[in-house]
Amino acid sequence: MRERFPDLKRHGSKLDRAIDVVLAGGVKEGVFLPSGRKVVTVVGSLGDEFVDPDKPYCSCSNFFFRVLGGREETCYHLLSYVVAVRTDMLDIIKFSDDEYGEYTAATARDVFEVIRKSGH
Ligand SMILES: [Zn+2]
């Protein structure tokens, strides 16, 4: 599958990880209606991470330390989002705006659990 992304090959093993995540259906976009707000989460090896492809931003420690630190270009969660969009494998889940708080709170709990596990 990585042959389909010649422009992403420079990411090496990160691209392989991203493809695995996408094939497992791990990239989810929660769309809240009628506002159209979006929350993207990627299920990684440790659990859910919040991703904002527009900024770009990811809640994982790799992004915080290496990407913001200027040592790496991106993390595999953000790469997963790119691959999911291009392969049309984004798992879009629609919610009503009323559910926004509950959904983000539940996801944030998962994210903090991941941070705790990864020891940062
Ligand atoms: Zn990440």
Side-chain angles (χ1 to χ4, degrees), residues 49 51 58-63 75-78:
E49 303 286 359
V51 163
C58 179
S59 58
C60 75
S61 59
N62 190 67
F63 182 86
C75 69
Y76 78 95
H77 306 102
L78 282 162

Side-chain angles (χ1 to χ4, degrees), residues 46-119:
L46 293 168
D48 290 6
E49 303 286 359
F50 268 122
V51 163
D52 188 342
D54 297 331
K55 279 201 169 56
Y57 169 79
C58 179
S59 58
C60 75
S61 59
N62 190 67
F63 182 86
F64 187 81
F65 290 104
R66 304 221 184 98
V67 181
L68 292 181
R71 279 183 284 159
E72 288 181 27
E73 192 183 339
T74 190
C75 69
Y76 78 95
H77 306 102
L78 282 162
L79 212 50
S80 300
Y81 180 79
V82 174
V83 171
V85 169
R86 290 212 210 157
T87 52
D88 209 16
M89 283 183 73
L90 197 58
D91 188 6
I92 297 173
I93 310 158
K94 293 195 172 125
F95 298 95
S96 79
D97 283 336
D98 302 343
E99 295 170 284
Y100 185 79
E102 208 176 304
Y103 182 83
T104 50
T107 308
R109 270 197 297 276
D110 289 345
V111 168
F112 284 120
E113 182 66 9
V114 169
I115 291 169
R116 200 181 59 74
K117 276 190 235 160
S118 65

